[in-house]
Amino acid sequence: MSAHSHDHGHDDEDAGLYLTILCWAGLALAALDAFLQPLPQGLVWAALGLSYLTGGVPPLRTAVAELWHHGRLDIDLLMVVAAIAAALVGAALEGAVLLALFSLSHTLEHRSMGKARRAVEALMQLRPETALLQGPEGVVEVPVADLVPGDRVILRPGARVPVDGQVAEGAGHLDESTVTGESLPVRKAPGDPVHEATVNLDAILTVEVTRGLATSTVAQMIKLVTEAQAMKSPSERFSDWFGQRYTIAVFVGSFLSYFIFRYLGHVPSEALYRAATLLVAASPCAVVISVPAAILSALSAAARGGVLFKGGAALEGLAEVRTFAFDKTGTLTTGLASVTNVVALEGDEATFLALAAGLEAQSEHPIADAIRREAAERGITPLAVKDVRAHPSEGITGQDDKGPVWAGNARMLAAMGTTLPETLAPLADGSETLVLVGRGPRVLGGVTVADEPRATAAEALRDLKAGGRTDILMMTGDRAPVAVRIGADLGLAPDEIHAGLLPGDKVNLVDAATTKGKVAFIGDGVNDAAALARADVGVAMGVAGSEVALQAADVALMAEDLRKLAAARALSRRTAGVIRQNLAISIGAMAILVAGSLFLSLPLPLAVLGHEGGTLLVVLNGLRLLADPIRSRT
């Protein structure tokens, strides 16, 4: 979305406001003549003409364009025809009231919808115009648009990140709330990713650019939200379908009502007045706007809270989900191996862990990385180990100042001609990976390493179940003991845990779950593509900066916080409730006005007030969703 289109939207809103003011000024003069102080007749006609022109020409142009290009009758045409009919029967003032109120409601509606769109577009305004580029001649200020991958920029405390990148030097905290909805500062160290439009809080950082401005996180978010607003939900499609056909019915009904009123003995002017009143009373403006007002507001609120929906269909779909199926690794768990237990059979834990970390210092394996991290977190310096050799599927060997040492699994244990000590037997139950460390046939101790549940996962699952009538499934290709341990930590029952699955098995499980109702599959958006595609609602998690994941799912959680899923479902259910309220209000008001105009000689001004009042009411009710429920719940 360009700055030009953003400004163009503002220009349209401003022009609409000025025309509305002129329309009301003309009406005020005509009303002054009618009710308080007689004015020269020429001035009164000029005032009414101003009202009719400023209030009638813009909707007439819209209606004619719609009819000419798409062959569709627009509700705007109903209002203009009703106002002209009122003028023809000598009720020009009532026609001016109709146009003034219609113009006001259109302006308020347009500005309200603009506010909903700008809630997301505001992200674009967060982009800094310039960045401090580190070059051979020192630090120079350059336009952000000139940055290319590989460039290094300097971030001072308080500065916004100009483009996506990763920390090259320095460590500090960033406020990522604008992109991920995460309210707490996030610590960043060398190698960690940073996202455009986030704020550096407390350190001087050197950031290496990884993506240019056109493909940045914010650009992807804006593109996705813009597309989402264009993708209609089932409710929106129904309101469009209903609006088109109903508008034709109203024109035909009003035309026929003129002859019916004439047949019942009304004079032509009275019959035309009653037909014009019916035209206003039966117009479905409120019905047609009731759904988009709620959907657009909810999409904007969700995006500000770090949840992107691919259109109203995904928003409505999430509200109806009965079963939530989760991929385990990287979704319910961190996807990062961590040390869970250290048992030293000889000497103290610190000395034992220093030896284990020294042995693993030159390995690229995730388990080796977990042991090194554990030692670093405890402030333990790894011992010097030389002549290190990797033995695939067994472990690693080396030499320290006391002689040969080794670390590995049961195969390495057998190769060393020894057996597992009884003390370590409880650690070898298969729910965690056991790494043994020894010298020759002597086992010095063991370290267990496992993937750990995310800090927010258990709470997120509780929140989802608290929503009522919700089934949870955990799916993993991992071994059953591992899956059962993670599931128990998350409060899942044995029948909710499915382990040892191939990608096709996950698709089959999703298929089976659809017999109970709609299914959402939650994964990382890159793996498990088949299950994401098969589910009624695919949810990708922690995808800030991941273009692939943004494209793969119907819903994208920008941060790695599963609680946002429960909050997003609560928002989608609230949206469904607001849509039902809006339809009840709009259809109810329309039915009362139509009955009044047919059987109770409802005056045109009252029909006007009822019609426009109902339209404004449903727009304002939809805008309640702009309050940010996703952030406030997390």
Side-chain angles (χ1 to χ4, degrees):
M1 182 169 297
S2 66
H4 174 75
S5 67
H6 185 66
D7 294 340
H8 183 66
H10 274 298
D11 292 344
D12 284 350
E13 285 177 30
D14 292 341
L17 177 62
Y18 299 144
L19 288 171
T20 299
I21 291 170
L22 286 172
C23 184
W24 277 87
L27 175 64
L29 270 177
L32 181 66
D33 171 74
F35 300 110
L36 293 174
Q37 176 68 43
L39 296 173
Q41 203 58 33
L43 181 60
V44 174
W45 284 114
L48 286 169
L50 179 66
S51 272
Y52 270 75
L53 286 172
T54 53
V57 171
L60 185 61
R61 281 178 58 195
T62 305
V64 169
E66 192 72 12
L67 189 61
W68 182 262
H69 295 295
H70 305 290
R72 301 194 323 189
L73 285 173
D74 197 280
I75 292 169
D76 290 6
L77 189 61
L78 281 179
M79 296 297 99
V80 176
V81 169
I84 292 170
L88 289 174
V89 296
L93 183 61
E94 283 92 334
V97 170
L98 170 60
L99 290 174
L101 282 169
F102 188 58
S103 178
L104 177 64
S105 78
H106 244 324
T107 299
L108 290 176
E109 177 191 312
H110 200 55
R111 292 182 81 82
S112 298
M113 293 306 190
K115 183 181 177 185
R117 282 189 293 272
R118 286 194 297 277
V120 179
E121 289 172 8
L123 286 169
M124 299 294 268
Q125 308 306 313
L126 298 175
R127 290 174 155 172
E129 295 292 321
T130 59
L132 298 174
L133 176 66
Q134 189 181 56
E137 298 167 9
V139 177
V140 292
E141 192 168 6
V142 299
V144 171
D146 292 350
L147 295 175
V148 295
D151 283 348
R152 290 196 167 198
V153 295
I154 304 298
L155 274 187
R156 292 173 179 159
R160 288 195 180 275
V161 179
V163 284
D164 290 351
Q166 65 178 24
V167 178
E169 295 173 24
H173 293 83
L174 263 67
D175 175 358
E176 296 193 330
S177 59
T178 49
V179 172
T180 66
E182 173 58 62
S183 56
L184 296 175
V186 179
R187 180 168 171 76
K188 298 290 182 179
D192 289 340
V194 294
H195 307 302
E196 175 195 10
T198 56
V199 182
N200 178 25
L201 297 176
D202 55 12
I204 295 177
L205 302 176
T206 303
V207 172
E208 183 175 324
V209 177
T210 55
R211 293 205 289 187
L213 203 61
T215 57
S216 68
T217 300
V218 173
Q220 291 295 324
M221 287 176 71
I222 294 295
K223 177 172 176 279
L224 196 70
V225 173
T226 307
E227 287 173 355
Q229 290 171 356
M231 290 171 67
K232 294 185 182 295
S233 71
S235 295
E236 285 177 295
R237 287 197 293 271
F238 169 75
S239 69
D240 277 359
W241 178 90
F242 174 83
Q244 283 303 305
R245 284 150 184 78
Y246 185 80
T247 299
I248 296 168
V250 169
F251 265 123
V252 172
S254 299
F255 180 74
L256 292 175
S257 71
Y258 170 79
F259 295 102
I260 292 168
F261 288 129
R262 286 288 290 120
Y263 175 75
L264 293 174
H266 293 281
V267 296
S269 60
E270 175 67 16
L272 189 56
Y273 184 88
R274 296 281 297 270
T277 304
L278 179 63
L279 199 63
V280 174
S283 292
C285 294
V287 177
V288 172
I289 198 63
S290 60
V291 179
I295 293 283
L296 188 59
S297 297
L299 289 174
S300 297
R304 288 205 322 278
V307 179
L308 299 185
F309 285 94
K310 279 195 179 174
L315 183 71
E316 288 191 354
L318 188 62
E320 299 166 10
V321 167
R322 169 67 188 271
T323 303
F324 287 88
F326 289 87
D327 175 44
K328 177 183 76 70
T329 308
T331 303
L332 289 173
T333 68
T334 60
L336 190 65
S338 302
V339 170
T340 55
N341 218 330
V342 179
V343 177
L345 300 181
E346 296 182 18
D348 60 87
E349 259 187 36
T351 307
F352 170 70
L353 196 56
L355 174 61
L359 258 170
E360 303 287 6
Q362 296 170 50
S363 172
E364 297 298 317
H365 198 281
I367 290 174
D369 184 47
I371 293 171
R372 289 196 299 270
R373 277 202 323 276
E374 181 69 15
E377 285 168 13
R378 295 192 188 193
I380 295 169
T381 305
L383 292 179
V385 179
K386 56 188 180 182
D387 299 333
V388 174
R389 284 183 58 210
H391 300 265
S393 301
E394 291 183 8
I396 197 165
T397 58
Q399 296 266 350
D400 68 356
D401 55 5
K402 295 180 183 176
V405 288
W406 55 267
N409 56 21
R411 291 194 190 93
M412 178 64 80
L413 196 69
M416 292 297 162
T418 188
T419 55
L420 184 71
E422 279 185 27
T423 319
L424 299 179
L427 303 181
D429 65 357
S431 65
E432 300 177 341
T433 301
L434 174 60
V435 179
L436 299 163
V437 180
R439 292 183 187 279
R442 278 167 47 221
V443 178
L444 303 178
V447 179
T448 54
V449 176
D451 190 5
E452 291 292 279
R454 289 190 183 279
T456 58
E459 185 185 342
L461 296 186
R462 283 197 302 273
D463 288 349
L464 284 172
K465 286 184 175 179
R469 293 190 72 245
T470 302
D471 295 332
I472 304 289
L473 299 177
M474 183 178 84
M475 302 182 183
T476 179
D478 216 335
R479 292 170 294 123
V482 177
V484 168
R485 177 181 63 82
I486 295 290
D489 288 348
L490 295 174
L492 295 177
D495 64 335
E496 295 175 319
I497 300 165
H498 300 270
L501 302 177
L502 297 171
D505 299 328
K506 293 182 181 181
V507 175
N508 293 338
L509 275 173
V510 169
D511 254 335
T514 56
T515 57
K516 288 187 180 179
K518 287 198 171 181
V519 178
F521 184 87
I522 302 91
D524 63 8
V526 180
N527 303 323
D528 299 315
L532 276 169
R534 175 61 191 90
D536 297 293
V537 181
V539 182
M541 185 184 123
V543 297
S546 169
E547 186 175 350
V548 175
L550 282 173
Q551 300 304 325
D554 304 303
V555 184
L557 310 183
M558 301 304 288
E560 294 180 339
D561 184 350
L562 279 170
R563 292 173 299 181
K564 290 188 181 296
L565 179 62
R569 181 168 71 157
L571 172 64
S572 66
R573 286 181 165 180
R574 192 169 158 222
T575 304
V578 168
I579 288 172
R580 285 194 296 271
Q581 291 165 15
N582 278 357
L583 289 172
I585 291 167
S586 54
I587 292 172
M590 201 164 64
I592 291 167
L593 291 172
V594 168
S597 64
L598 285 174
F599 307 115
L600 302 173
S601 300
L602 182 75
L604 182 59
L606 274 182
V608 168
L609 284 170
H611 176 268
E612 298 305 328
T615 303
L616 286 176
L617 192 59
V618 296
V619 169
L620 293 173
N621 192 39
L623 286 175
R624 289 190 302 119
L625 293 164
L626 268 179
D628 196 342
I630 284 182
R631 190 170 299 167
S632 66
R633 280 183 168 87
T634 59

